């Protein structure tokens, strides 16, 4: 090969290498942002109109056999802090209100309430009742006003019906990431004044976080579909209150 031919070959090789570097650099820049599709690799609900997103996430929530719900609910001027695991035939967890914490357990239609002496002192004011009920499961009669008030906290369908609703005109509010790193699409009612709901973009489009309208609380939903059991407490840990339970 002549010197001229060798020079041409070297120049061609350098041009090929430079072109390859340029293409690689352009691909890297494109991958760092730019026109990247925010819905790439997701379940696709982020591309839907807000009303369809709400319908999809509600259907997913209704179909799930279980869920864990935690956060705050403000109703009738009172704030309740919840940490409940719910399923179609029962639920269990804790509720805190006005500094008093109690546990709820529902198995089928049977509802039990368990609290310490501070709770019963606050609601009952009877030293005799406090000693009898402290740390025990109290079976709540279905005809007692307390049953209607507290059983709703253990009822998956009742809670989701009352909570998973945005008010006003629906709109999308961009792509986000929740505390666990799950990618979400956020929808709002009346630009947020009617509530906001973050919906999972990974796997099933479950609701993950709800900010209720009117500063009525913030809730997180997790453990969708993770099975757990609820069983009636042993007789040795259960007492009969003997009169109408306090609901204050």
């Amino acid at each position: 090969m002549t010197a001229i031919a060798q020079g041409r070959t070297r120049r061609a090789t350098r041009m090929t290498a430079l072109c390859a570097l340029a293409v690689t650099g352009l691909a890297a820049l494109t991958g760092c942002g730019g026109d990247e599709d925010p819905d790439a690799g997701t379940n696709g609900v982020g591309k839907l109109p807000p009303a369809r997103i709400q319908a999809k996430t509600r259907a997913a929530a209704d179909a799930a056999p279980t869920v864990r719900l935690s956060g705050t609910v403000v109703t009738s001027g009172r704030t309740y802090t919840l940490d409940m695991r719910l399923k179609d035939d029962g639920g269990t967890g804790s509720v805190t209100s006005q500094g008093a914490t109690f546990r709820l357990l529902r198995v089928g239609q049977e509802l039990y309430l368990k609290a310490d002496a501070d709770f019963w002192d606050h609601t009952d004011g009877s030293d005799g009742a406090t000693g009898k009920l402290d740390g025990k499961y109290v079976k709540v009669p279905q005809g007692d006003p307390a049953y209607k008030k507290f059983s709703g906290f253990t009822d998956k369908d009742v809670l989701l019906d009352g909570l998973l609703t945005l008010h006003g005109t629906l709109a999308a509010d961009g792509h986000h990431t929740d505390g666990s790193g799950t990618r979400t699409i956020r929808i709002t009612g009346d630009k947020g004044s009617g509530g906001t709901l973050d919906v999972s973009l990974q796997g099933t489009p479950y609701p993950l976080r709800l900010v209720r309208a009117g500063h009525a609380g913030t809730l997180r939903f997790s453990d969708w579909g993770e099975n757990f059991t609820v069983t009636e407490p042993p007789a040795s840990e259960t007492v009969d209150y003997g009169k109408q339970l306090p609901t204050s």
Side-chain angles (χ1 to χ4, degrees):
M1 181 181 292
T2 66
I4 294 175
Q6 290 177 338
R8 288 175 178 171
T9 300
R10 286 194 295 270
R11 284 196 296 272
T13 300
R14 285 197 298 268
M15 288 299 295
T16 301
L18 289 172
C19 287
L21 286 172
V23 171
T24 303
L26 179 60
L29 287 173
T30 302
C32 290
D35 296 327
E36 184 181 5
D37 182 2
D39 291 298
T42 71
N43 54 27
V45 298
K47 298 180 179 180
L48 300 176
R52 287 283 293 144
I53 297 174
Q54 179 171 251
K56 283 271 190 182
T57 195
R58 182 56 193 269
D62 288 343
T66 63
V67 64
R68 182 175 183 176
L69 182 153
S70 58
T72 58
V73 173
V74 181
T75 180
S76 301
R78 179 175 294 183
T79 299
Y80 295 91
T81 300
L82 312 179
D83 188 359
M84 301 294 302
R85 298 190 70 187
L86 310 171
K87 60 191 310 182
D88 291 335
D89 61 349
T92 183
S94 65
V95 180
T96 300
S97 179
Q98 294 183 325
T101 298
F102 54 94
R103 295 194 61 82
L104 292 173
L105 168 65
R106 183 173 62 84
V107 184
Q109 297 301 312
E110 303 297 338
L111 178 67
Y112 301 87
L113 185 152
K114 181 179 181 180
D116 60 18
D118 289 340
F119 173 86
W120 294 112
D121 279 341
H122 176 72
T123 57
D124 183 89
S126 169
D127 291 338
T130 296
K132 178 182 178 182
L133 305 177
D134 182 16
K136 298 286 188 178
Y137 283 100
V138 177
K139 187 174 181 178
V140 183
Q142 293 187 31
D144 194 295
Y147 186 94
K148 181 178 180 180
K149 177 173 182 177
F150 294 136
S151 64
F153 289 127
T154 67
D155 193 310
K156 174 178 173 283
D157 291 337
V158 168
L159 277 178
L160 295 184
D161 283 342
L163 295 174
L164 290 180
T165 301
L166 299 178
H167 303 280
T169 303
L170 297 181
D173 189 28
H175 293 69
H176 300 266
T177 304
D178 76 351
S180 66
T182 301
R183 297 161 69 185
T184 66
I185 181 71
R186 180 172 297 168
I187 56 176
T188 66
D190 280 348
K191 299 181 179 180
S193 63
T196 69
L197 182 65
D198 285 22
V199 178
S200 177
L201 287 175
Q202 299 175 211
T204 305
Y206 289 125
L208 297 183
R209 182 176 182 269
L210 171 71
V211 179
R212 301 182 70 205
H215 306 287
T218 299
L219 291 162
R220 293 187 180 276
F221 306 89
S222 61
D223 297 349
W224 288 102
E226 295 189 10
N227 190 37
F228 67 97
T229 59
V230 286
T231 56
E232 293 186 3
S236 60
E237 297 180 18
T238 307
V239 296
D240 180 10
Y241 186 72
K243 57 181 178 178
Q244 180 175 303
L245 269 70
T247 59
S248 59

